[in-house]
Every structure is written in C-alpha cells, then in structure tokens.
Amino acid sequence: MDGNAEARSQSPVSVSLETLKTEQVSLSSLENAFGPSSLGILVVNNLPPEYISLRQKLLSYASYLAALPAEELEALTSPSSKYLVGWSLGKESLKSGHRDTLKGSYYVNCAFYTDPALQSAPAENYPSFPEYTAPNIWPSEDLLPGFRATFEELATLIIDVAAFVAKACDTYAEKNIEGYRKGYLEHVVKTSTTTKARLLHYFPPTDDKSPNQENNNNDDDDDWCATHVDHGCLTGLTSAMFIDESLNPPILPSPSPSSPSALCPLPELPTSPSPSAGLYIHSRTNSITKIDIPHDSLAFQTGEALEVITKGRLKAVPHFVKGGKAGNAGVRVARNTLAVFTQPNLWEMVDGERDFGAFARGVVERNH
C-alpha cells in the first residue's frame, strides 16, 4: 500500500439484527454501507444473547490451540488441501516475501450449516479440489474439549446473521444493478456447502519476532496480514480479542476422567495495547480507514466473487491487518479473531464462463 497514505477514522453503518429481520433497513443506509462512496462494510448489533459468550470462548480456543505441542498441531494439518483445512502456519507469504509465521489459522468447512452430516463440500464432479472437498479435521475432545461444538455453534450463528445481511444486500442490488438475480446473495448464504471459517491467532509480537521487522517503522505497513480481498461473497467478522498471555497463559489441563467439557475462556483486554494495531480497509473511494468492531457486534464486508457476479457494481473490500509492537519486557499480547467466508456452491456460475469452483481454483493457485 502507499506509504504516504494517511489512515482516517470513519464509522461504518451499524444496524440492529431486528431491523434486518423486519426488513426495515432504509435504502439510504444500504447506500451508505455498500454504495459507490461507502466503506463496503456493515456492522450488526443487538445479536442473540449467546453471541458474547460464544465469541469469548472460541477466540480463547485460538490461544489454547496455538499453544499445543508441535507434533499435535502437525497432526491437525492437511497438506493435500494446501493447508486450507485444519491448522496452518507458515504457509503464506508476507509482503516482504518471508513465510508468515506471525499468525496461525484453523480452517473449517461450514457445510454442516446445510446438513449436520456434511464436513466438506461434496466431492462429486470436483474430485481434485481438496481445498473444499477434504473433510474437516477436529482435535479430539481429550485434547481440546468443547472446541468443535463451540466452533460449529458460533459459525452457525454468524451464517444465520449473514443471511439477513445478504437479504438487505439483495434489496440494494435489485434496485441499483440491472439484471441482478432476485434473492441471489441470500440464496448463496443459506444453501452453500463451500462456506469456510478461519479462526486466527496472531502470536504476541516480540523484539526478535516483530511483524515485518525490516519495515516496522512504517506506520502504514500491512505487516500482520497483507492487503487483500476475500474471494467469496460476504464475509462475517468478529471483533478481535486481545489476550495478555503473560498474565493468562493458555495452559491446557492434563486429560483425566474429571476433565472439563470445555476450556475456560481467557480474560480479555478491553482494548489493544497498540492503538494503531487492527483491521484497516480501503474504502470505495480508496481512503484508508481503521475499523473498530464492538465486542458485541459482527461486521460484514463484500468479497471478490460478489464483485464479479455484479459486474463490478458491488466492489470487494481491500483490507489488511496492522500489527502491534512488542510491549514491555515480559508482556505478551496475542490477537485472536474469526472470519466466516460465505461463497457460492462449487457448481454455481459467477460469470458467463466460470463456476465458483473454477473461480476459486484460480484464487487458490494465485495465493498458495
């Protein structure tokens, strides 16, 4: 990104879940959220009451997961899927060209949303696309008790909310985009077997492992996660959870008959200790804006497949994550978050020539 560009603060459009459910979101709000001069992001508040505890539990699991012994993490990887199922660390490249060891990811296929028996997209007609058709890998209950149940419950809640956001997007698109298929995005969210979730753990920065160390004096550096667009249609994002792992280390209890059914959530810092750290987006007008998502809310942004489907009228949102700096000696603050990428089924067309399988394959080959 342009090192001379100056980030600014701008609040995204925020609506309540009830307003979405009752279809009372004004067209002006939709224009401000998704129109040509917008940020391309919508924040949803007044979520179901269980959301807050589910978010804290699952984002705590990100720290517990990353603290597992290396051999346990290796057993949770899927090389055949290009590490897009299960645990992934050091498989992506930073802008500097170095392998990204600053964050670990855990990828989960959300086909269970349409059918609890499914753990991946159906492999029929796509036998050589394990990035989507390889089944989920779950840690055993002895290793991470409650992880799978918490992950599936929170992902389901986010997709439920995404369906209402999609319906509002459809309302805007049907009035502003000629030829837009009625109810398209809501259909994608509700019926897709390719929706994928990514639980992220950004390791605590240290003096010898600072994000993109050679450029850490650049205030505009996209060091923790390089500028990119999501390749799906609509992405749901939790707010980031900051955990001081020096005060609250993610120590796993030894397995025993009296082991808990779920791990205790870790205490959360009220804010990031590095004010500049966090999620930034390039708005529709190409201004750089820091996005702060309230802890009790979800944010939704548009992706590349939706841009292609709408012939460029609903632009994908370029975004990046700016890293924190190493704190005082002994202080270790991690950043955990969850993204849920809703996207078309593999066989659904995104343009006149490509189905989503072909589109996604091109993206995967470009990025991995």
Side-chain angles (χ1 to χ4, degrees):
M1 57 174 288
D2 183 357
N4 297 318
E6 184 176 343
R8 62 181 180 134
S9 177
Q10 180 180 344
S11 297
V13 173
S14 182
V15 299
S16 72
L17 179 58
E18 185 61 26
T19 301
L20 287 170
K21 286 181 175 180
T22 55
E23 301 181 41
Q24 294 180 4
V25 183
S26 68
L27 283 176
S28 62
S29 292
L30 295 173
E31 179 75 19
N32 290 335
F34 300 113
S37 300
S38 71
L39 294 175
I41 193 167
L42 180 73
V43 171
V44 182
N45 54 41
N46 293 335
L47 297 170
E50 64 270 23
Y51 170 73
I52 293 175
S53 63
L54 283 171
R55 170 191 168 274
Q56 187 177 20
K57 285 195 290 185
L58 186 62
L59 299 193
S60 294
Y61 272 116
S63 285
Y64 286 118
L65 178 72
L68 289 173
E71 63 272 16
E72 297 283 8
L73 288 171
E74 183 63 27
L76 297 172
T77 64
S78 173
S80 67
S81 71
K82 294 186 171 68
Y83 298 92
L84 291 176
V85 173
W87 175 251
S88 176
L89 173 63
K91 308 306 176 186
E92 298 178 76
S93 295
L94 292 168
K95 185 171 61 177
S96 63
H98 294 99
R99 284 292 180 181
D100 181 6
T101 58
L102 305 176
K103 65 178 180 290
S105 300
Y106 206 86
Y107 290 95
V108 168
N109 298 315
C110 296
F112 55 77
Y113 184 79
T114 63
D115 181 346
L118 290 177
Q119 288 296 309
S120 68
E124 185 180 1
N125 300 324
Y126 298 89
S128 60
F129 202 14
E131 293 88 336
Y132 284 99
T133 61
N136 286 327
I137 301 171
W138 294 107
S140 70
E141 285 297 300
D142 288 339
L143 192 63
L144 280 184
F147 176 74
R148 176 175 178 173
T150 303
F151 204 127
E152 290 184 339
E153 189 174 355
L154 182 55
T156 296
L157 187 154
I158 293 173
I159 298 169
D160 282 342
V161 177
F164 291 109
V165 175
K167 192 169 187 177
C169 288
D170 286 335
T171 298
Y172 172 80
E174 288 160 16
K175 292 183 180 296
N176 290 278
I177 301 173
E178 184 178 353
Y180 184 83
R181 198 173 101 200
K182 184 175 177 62
Y184 174 78
L185 191 53
E186 183 183 16
H187 161 80
V188 165
V189 172
K190 286 185 172 181
T191 67
S192 178
T193 58
T194 64
T195 290
K196 193 178 282 281
R198 183 183 189 183
L199 180 65
L200 291 131
H201 174 77
Y202 295 83
F203 291 94
T206 60
D207 288 333
D208 62 344
K209 192 179 177 183
S210 295
N212 217 12
Q213 187 175 2
E214 67 273 22
N215 292 319
N216 64 8
N217 291 322
N218 182 356
D219 287 341
D220 295 323
D221 196 33
D222 50 355
D223 43 17
W224 246 349
C225 184
T227 302
H228 67 286
V229 295
D230 298 334
H231 73 264
C233 283
L234 193 65
T235 302
L237 301 165
T238 68
S239 64
M241 180 181 187
F242 293 92
I243 300 168
D244 186 345
E245 293 186 351
S246 57
L247 291 177
N248 302 286
I251 299 174
L252 293 164
S254 299
S256 72
S258 59
S259 293
S261 59
L263 298 179
C264 293
L266 298 169
E268 178 175 7
L269 295 174
T271 59
S272 167
S274 298
S276 62
L279 174 67
Y280 289 77
I281 69 171
H282 292 260
S283 73
R284 303 284 202 253
T285 57
N286 205 36
S287 62
I288 300 167
T289 303
K290 186 174 186 291
I291 300 296
D292 293 314
I293 307 169
H295 291 180
D296 61 353
S297 302
L298 286 165
F300 293 87
Q301 64 188 24
T302 46
E304 187 179 1
L306 190 61
E307 179 175 337
V308 172
I309 290 160
T310 61
K311 298 178 173 61
R313 294 295 298 276
L314 285 176
K315 297 285 187 184
V317 178
H319 55 284
F320 63 94
V321 177
K322 181 178 173 63
K325 307 302 178 187
N328 297 328
V331 176
R332 303 181 66 256
V333 177
R335 177 185 188 271
N336 299 337
T337 189
L338 176 71
V340 177
F341 309 99
T342 68
Q343 41 210 11
N345 284 304
L346 294 174
W347 57 87
E348 293 186 284
M349 302 301 292
V350 298
D351 57 26
E353 299 178 353
R354 296 173 295 174
D355 60 16
F356 182 72
F359 173 81
R361 194 186 302 275
V363 173
V364 169
E365 290 173 353
R366 189 170 71 226
N367 296 334
H368 292 269

